[in-house]
Amino acid sequence: MKFFDVQEEYKKNKDLRAEDIRALQEWAQKLPHMPQISEHRLILFLHRWHWSLELAKLAIEKFVTCRAAWADFFGGCNPLQPEIIQEMSQHLMAFLPTKASDGSKILYMKMLVPDSASLNPKAAIKLFDMVITLELMEKGTFDDMVVVCDTTKVEASHLAKTSVRDTKRYLLYMQDALPVRLTSMHWIVPTGIQELFIPLVKPFIKKGLSQSLHFHNSYEALFRYCPRELFPKEVGGEGPGLAQLHEAMQRSLIQSADLFGDEEKLVANEALRDRRHLCMDPDLELGIDGSLLNQPKSIPS
């Protein structure tokens, strides 16, 4: 696949400086546990953390450590593997093709197969992460991501298969390590299931995002916050239909299989880690051999 144009990013982002990229490269090269990280990815991390070198370093550490520790989320993400093929057939996860008027991109998710017997929550997390990764690596930085999850077909039997621990881990990873500016999250949840559903999500949304976390019982309620015209026609919008979005999602992921092979190399080598350079968040329950780690007082330079 063709990655985004680095030079275009420098033109687009006046605060992106080549010297900051070099500083991150030099920092990473000093850490024996750190994998090789491309300039493309360093740009994404700096953008996500509003050009702060120190915050970008912390996020990169968490990113590679999470991906090493949680192979059940981040391993085996080849879109040609049976598990991912099946997951792609059951879920639509796609960025709507038109941005909102404020420049934000909407990541729209909808369960297409409501049978709970076929639900694979870990595979769904993999697919979600793959879709975001592809968008970033193909198109570059963007200022705001809005996540809209259509869970109108969710029942108690679905929730029974969902691990609170897995939900916690990925939501914290998404907020602390994933190089994208997440600004709001919306769930469309049947009224009768909200009491069971909300405790799976709300406790793990950090303070900065908590005011932008919304639960709706209909699309009409969602459209008070998100532009109706961008959504598929089947749910009351004016955008491309579900089948078109789903086909495009599957095609783009399969065509980018090489990206996800490279992505699996972006993991910390814990055998080589200098323990003085640990900078984990205990909330993520990460550490060498599964032990919890203490946050350092400063980031290694």
Side-chain angles (χ1 to χ4, degrees), residues 154-202:
V154 167
E155 300 175 349
S157 56
H158 293 92
L159 300 184
K161 296 184 69 172
T162 304
S163 163
V164 174
R165 189 183 191 194
D166 287 349
T167 303
K168 169 188 175 181
R169 284 180 168 182
Y170 192 79
L171 284 174
L172 291 175
Y173 164 87
M174 183 166 61
Q175 294 169 87
D176 289 353
L178 194 63
V180 64
R181 294 179 180 177
L182 175 64
T183 53
S184 63
M185 301 185 78
H186 299 262
W187 272 270
I188 308 169
V189 188
T191 302
I193 208 75
Q194 284 196 12
E195 291 183 1
L196 298 174
F197 184 87
I198 292 176
L200 278 174
V201 176
K202 193 171 183 178

Coordinates of all heavy atoms in Angstrom, one line a residue, residues 154-202:
V154 N -27.6 -5.5 20.0 CA -27.0 -6.1 21.1 C -28.0 -6.6 22.1 O -29.0 -5.9 22.4 CB -26.0 -5.2 21.8 CG1 -25.6 -5.7 23.2 CG2 -24.8 -5.0 20.9
E155 N -27.8 -7.8 22.6 CA -28.7 -8.4 23.7 C -27.8 -8.8 24.8 O -26.6 -8.8 24.8 CB -29.5 -9.6 23.1 CG -30.3 -9.2 21.9 CD -31.0 -10.4 21.3 OE1 -30.6 -11.6 21.6 OE2 -31.9 -10.2 20.4
A156 N -28.5 -9.3 25.9 CA -27.7 -9.7 27.1 C -26.8 -10.8 26.8 O -25.7 -11.0 27.3 CB -28.7 -10.1 28.2
S157 N -27.1 -11.7 25.8 CA -26.3 -12.8 25.4 C -25.0 -12.3 24.8 O -23.9 -13.0 24.9 CB -27.0 -13.8 24.5 OG -27.5 -13.1 23.3
H158 N -25.0 -11.2 24.1 CA -23.8 -10.6 23.6 C -22.9 -10.1 24.7 O -21.7 -10.3 24.7 CB -24.1 -9.4 22.6 CG -24.8 -9.8 21.4 ND1 -26.1 -9.8 21.2 CD2 -24.3 -10.2 20.2 CE1 -26.5 -10.2 20.0 NE2 -25.4 -10.5 19.3
L159 N -23.5 -9.4 25.6 CA -22.7 -8.8 26.7 C -22.1 -9.9 27.6 O -21.0 -9.7 28.2 CB -23.6 -7.9 27.6 CG -24.2 -6.7 26.8 CD1 -25.0 -5.9 27.8 CD2 -23.2 -5.9 26.1
A160 N -22.8 -11.1 27.7 CA -22.2 -12.2 28.5 C -20.9 -12.7 27.9 O -20.1 -13.3 28.7 CB -23.2 -13.3 28.6
K161 N -20.7 -12.5 26.7 CA -19.4 -12.9 26.0 C -18.3 -11.9 26.0 O -17.2 -12.1 25.5 CB -19.7 -13.4 24.6 CG -20.6 -14.6 24.5 CD -20.8 -15.1 23.1 CE -19.5 -15.7 22.5 NZ -19.7 -16.3 21.2
T162 N -18.7 -10.7 26.5 CA -17.7 -9.6 26.5 C -17.0 -9.5 27.8 O -17.6 -9.3 28.9 CB -18.5 -8.3 26.2 OG1 -19.2 -8.4 25.0 CG2 -17.6 -7.1 26.1
S163 N -15.7 -9.5 27.8 CA -14.9 -9.4 29.0 C -14.7 -7.9 29.4 O -14.3 -7.1 28.6 CB -13.5 -10.0 28.7 OG -12.5 -9.6 29.6
V164 N -15.0 -7.6 30.6 CA -14.8 -6.3 31.2 C -13.3 -5.9 31.1 O -13.0 -4.8 30.8 CB -15.4 -6.2 32.6 CG1 -15.0 -4.8 33.2 CG2 -16.9 -6.4 32.7
R165 N -12.5 -6.9 31.4 CA -11.0 -6.6 31.4 C -10.6 -6.2 30.0 O -9.8 -5.3 29.9 CB -10.3 -7.8 32.0 CG -8.8 -7.6 32.2 CD -8.1 -8.8 32.6 NE -6.8 -8.6 33.1 CZ -5.9 -9.5 33.3 NH1 -6.2 -10.8 33.1 NH2 -4.7 -9.2 33.8
D166 N -11.0 -7.0 29.0 CA -10.6 -6.7 27.6 C -11.1 -5.3 27.2 O -10.4 -4.5 26.5 CB -11.1 -7.7 26.7 CG -10.3 -9.0 26.8 OD1 -9.3 -9.1 27.5 OD2 -10.8 -10.0 26.2
T167 N -12.3 -5.0 27.6 CA -12.9 -3.7 27.2 C -12.1 -2.6 27.9 O -11.7 -1.6 27.2 CB -14.4 -3.6 27.7 OG1 -15.1 -4.7 27.1 CG2 -15.0 -2.3 27.3
K168 N -11.8 -2.8 29.1 CA -11.0 -1.8 29.9 C -9.6 -1.6 29.2 O -9.2 -0.4 28.9 CB -10.8 -2.2 31.3 CG -9.7 -1.4 32.1 CD -9.5 -2.1 33.4 CE -8.3 -1.3 34.2 NZ -8.0 -1.9 35.5
R169 N -9.0 -2.7 28.9 CA -7.6 -2.6 28.3 C -7.7 -1.8 27.0 O -6.8 -0.9 26.8 CB -7.0 -4.0 28.1 CG -6.6 -4.6 29.4 CD -6.0 -6.0 29.1 NE -5.3 -6.5 30.2 CZ -4.6 -7.7 30.2 NH1 -4.7 -8.5 29.1 NH2 -4.0 -8.1 31.3
Y170 N -8.6 -2.2 26.1 CA -8.5 -1.5 24.8 C -9.0 -0.1 24.9 O -8.4 0.8 24.2 CB -9.3 -2.2 23.7 CG -9.0 -1.7 22.4 CD1 -7.8 -2.1 21.7 CD2 -9.8 -0.7 21.8 CE1 -7.5 -1.5 20.5 CE2 -9.4 -0.1 20.6 CZ -8.3 -0.5 20.0 OH -7.9 0.1 18.8
L171 N -9.9 0.3 25.7 CA -10.4 1.6 25.8 C -9.3 2.5 26.4 O -9.1 3.7 25.9 CB -11.6 1.7 26.7 CG -12.9 1.3 26.1 CD1 -14.1 1.3 27.1 CD2 -13.3 2.2 24.9
L172 N -8.5 2.0 27.4 CA -7.4 2.8 27.9 C -6.3 2.9 26.9 O -5.7 4.0 26.7 CB -6.9 2.1 29.2 CG -7.9 2.2 30.4 CD1 -7.3 1.5 31.6 CD2 -8.1 3.7 30.8
Y173 N -6.0 1.8 26.2 CA -5.0 1.9 25.1 C -5.4 2.9 24.0 O -4.5 3.7 23.6 CB -4.9 0.5 24.5 CG -4.2 0.4 23.1 CD1 -2.8 0.3 23.1 CD2 -4.9 0.5 22.0 CE1 -2.2 0.3 21.8 CE2 -4.3 0.4 20.7 CZ -2.9 0.3 20.7 OH -2.3 0.3 19.4
M174 N -6.6 2.9 23.7 CA -7.1 3.8 22.6 C -6.9 5.3 23.1 O -6.6 6.1 22.2 CB -8.6 3.5 22.3 CG -9.1 4.4 21.2 SD -10.7 3.8 20.5 CE -11.7 3.9 22.0
Q175 N -7.1 5.5 24.3 CA -7.0 6.9 24.8 C -5.5 7.3 25.1 O -5.2 8.5 24.9 CB -7.8 7.1 26.1 CG -9.3 6.9 25.9 CD -10.1 6.8 27.2 OE1 -10.4 7.8 27.8 NE2 -10.3 5.6 27.7
D176 N -4.7 6.4 25.5 CA -3.3 6.7 26.0 C -2.2 6.4 25.0 O -1.1 6.9 25.1 CB -3.0 5.9 27.2 CG -3.8 6.4 28.4 OD1 -4.5 7.5 28.3 OD2 -3.7 5.8 29.5
A177 N -2.5 5.5 24.0 CA -1.4 5.0 23.2 C -1.7 5.1 21.7 O -0.7 5.2 20.9 CB -1.1 3.5 23.5
L178 N -2.9 5.0 21.3 CA -3.2 5.0 19.8 C -3.0 6.4 19.3 O -3.6 7.4 19.9 CB -4.7 4.6 19.6 CG -5.1 4.2 18.2 CD1 -4.3 3.0 17.7 CD2 -6.6 3.9 18.2
P179 N -2.3 6.6 18.2 CA -1.9 8.0 17.8 C -3.0 8.6 16.9 O -2.9 8.9 15.7 CB -0.7 7.8 16.9 CG -0.8 6.4 16.4 CD -1.5 5.6 17.5
V180 N -4.2 8.8 17.6 CA -5.3 9.5 16.9 C -6.0 10.3 17.9 O -6.1 10.0 19.1 CB -6.3 8.5 16.2 CG1 -6.9 7.6 17.3 CG2 -7.3 9.2 15.4
R181 N -6.5 11.5 17.5 CA -7.2 12.4 18.5 C -8.7 12.0 18.6 O -9.5 12.5 17.8 CB -7.0 13.9 18.0 CG -5.6 14.4 18.0 CD -5.5 15.8 17.6 NE -4.1 16.3 17.6 CZ -3.7 17.5 17.2 NH1 -4.6 18.3 16.7 NH2 -2.5 17.9 17.2
L182 N -9.0 11.2 19.5 CA -10.3 10.8 19.8 C -11.0 11.9 20.6 O -10.6 12.3 21.7 CB -10.3 9.5 20.6 CG -11.7 9.0 21.1 CD1 -12.5 8.6 19.9 CD2 -11.5 7.8 22.0
T183 N -12.1 12.4 20.0 CA -12.8 13.6 20.7 C -14.2 13.3 21.2 O -14.6 13.9 22.1 CB -12.9 14.8 19.7 OG1 -13.6 14.3 18.5 CG2 -11.6 15.3 19.4
S184 N -14.9 12.2 20.7 CA -16.2 11.9 21.2 C -16.5 10.5 20.8 O -16.0 10.0 19.8 CB -17.3 12.9 20.8 OG -17.5 12.8 19.4
M185 N -17.4 9.8 21.6 CA -17.8 8.5 21.3 C -19.3 8.4 21.6 O -19.9 9.0 22.6 CB -17.1 7.5 22.3 CG -15.6 7.5 22.1 SD -14.8 6.2 23.1 CE -15.1 4.8 22.1
H186 N -20.0 7.8 20.6 CA -21.5 7.7 20.7 C -21.9 6.2 20.5 O -21.4 5.5 19.6 CB -22.1 8.5 19.6 CG -21.8 9.9 19.6 ND1 -22.7 10.9 20.2 CD2 -20.8 10.7 19.2 CE1 -22.2 12.1 20.1 NE2 -21.0 12.0 19.5
W187 N -22.7 5.7 21.4 CA -23.3 4.4 21.3 C -24.8 4.5 21.2 O -25.5 5.2 21.9 CB -23.0 3.6 22.6 CG -21.7 2.8 22.5 CD1 -21.5 1.6 22.1 CD2 -20.4 3.3 23.0 NE1 -20.1 1.2 22.2 CE2 -19.5 2.3 22.8 CE3 -20.0 4.5 23.6 CZ2 -18.1 2.4 23.1 CZ3 -18.6 4.6 23.9 CH2 -17.7 3.6 23.7
I188 N -25.3 3.8 20.2 CA -26.8 3.7 20.0 C -27.2 2.3 20.6 O -26.8 1.3 20.1 CB -27.2 3.7 18.5 CG1 -26.6 5.0 17.9 CG2 -28.7 3.8 18.4 CD1 -26.7 5.0 16.4
V189 N -27.8 2.4 21.8 CA -28.1 1.2 22.6 C -29.6 1.1 22.9 O -30.2 2.1 23.3 CB -27.3 1.2 23.9 CG1 -27.4 -0.1 24.6 CG2 -25.8 1.6 23.7
P190 N -30.2 -0.1 22.7 CA -31.6 -0.2 23.1 C -31.8 0.2 24.5 O -31.0 -0.2 25.4 CB -31.9 -1.7 22.8 CG -30.8 -2.2 21.9 CD -29.6 -1.3 22.2
T191 N -32.9 0.8 24.8 CA -33.2 1.3 26.1 C -33.1 0.2 27.2 O -32.6 0.3 28.3 CB -34.6 2.0 26.2 OG1 -34.6 3.1 25.3 CG2 -34.9 2.5 27.6
G192 N -33.7 -1.0 26.8 CA -33.7 -2.1 27.7 C -32.4 -2.7 28.1 O -32.3 -3.5 29.1
I193 N -31.3 -2.4 27.3 CA -30.0 -3.0 27.6 C -29.0 -2.0 28.1 O -27.9 -2.4 28.5 CB -29.5 -3.7 26.3 CG1 -28.6 -4.9 26.6 CG2 -28.8 -2.7 25.4 CD1 -29.3 -6.1 27.0
Q194 N -29.4 -0.7 28.2 CA -28.4 0.3 28.6 C -27.9 0.1 30.0 O -26.7 0.3 30.2 CB -29.1 1.7 28.5 CG -29.2 2.2 27.1 CD -29.4 3.7 27.0 OE1 -29.3 4.4 28.0 NE2 -29.8 4.2 25.8
E195 N -28.7 -0.4 30.9 CA -28.3 -0.6 32.3 C -27.1 -1.7 32.3 O -26.3 -1.6 33.2 CB -29.4 -1.1 33.2 CG -30.4 0.0 33.4 CD -31.5 -0.5 34.4 OE1 -31.4 -1.6 34.9 OE2 -32.4 0.3 34.7
L196 N -27.1 -2.6 31.4 CA -26.1 -3.6 31.4 C -24.9 -3.2 30.6 O -23.7 -3.5 30.9 CB -26.6 -4.9 30.7 CG -27.8 -5.6 31.5 CD1 -28.3 -6.8 30.7 CD2 -27.3 -6.1 32.9
F197 N -25.1 -2.3 29.5 CA -24.1 -2.0 28.6 C -23.2 -0.8 29.1 O -22.0 -0.9 29.0 CB -24.7 -1.5 27.3 CG -23.8 -1.2 26.2 CD1 -23.3 -2.2 25.4 CD2 -23.3 0.1 26.0 CE1 -22.4 -1.9 24.4 CE2 -22.4 0.4 25.0 CZ -21.9 -0.6 24.2
I198 N -23.8 0.2 29.7 CA -23.0 1.4 30.1 C -21.9 1.1 31.1 O -20.8 1.6 30.9 CB -24.0 2.5 30.6 CG1 -24.9 3.0 29.5 CG2 -23.2 3.6 31.3 CD1 -25.9 4.0 29.9
P199 N -22.1 0.2 32.1 CA -21.0 -0.1 33.0 C -19.8 -0.8 32.3 O -18.7 -0.9 32.9 CB -21.6 -1.1 34.0 CG -23.1 -0.7 34.0 CD -23.4 -0.4 32.5
L200 N -20.0 -1.4 31.1 CA -18.9 -2.0 30.3 C -18.0 -0.9 29.7 O -16.8 -1.2 29.4 CB -19.4 -2.8 29.2 CG -19.8 -4.3 29.5 CD1 -20.5 -4.9 28.3 CD2 -18.7 -5.1 30.0
V201 N -18.5 0.3 29.6 CA -17.7 1.3 28.9 C -17.4 2.5 29.7 O -16.2 3.0 29.8 CB -18.6 1.8 27.6 CG1 -17.9 3.0 26.9 CG2 -18.8 0.7 26.7
K202 N -18.4 3.1 30.4 CA -18.2 4.4 31.0 C -17.1 4.5 32.1 O -16.4 5.5 32.1 CB -19.6 4.8 31.7 CG -19.6 6.3 32.1 CD -21.0 6.7 32.5 CE -21.0 8.2 32.9 NZ -22.4 8.6 33.2

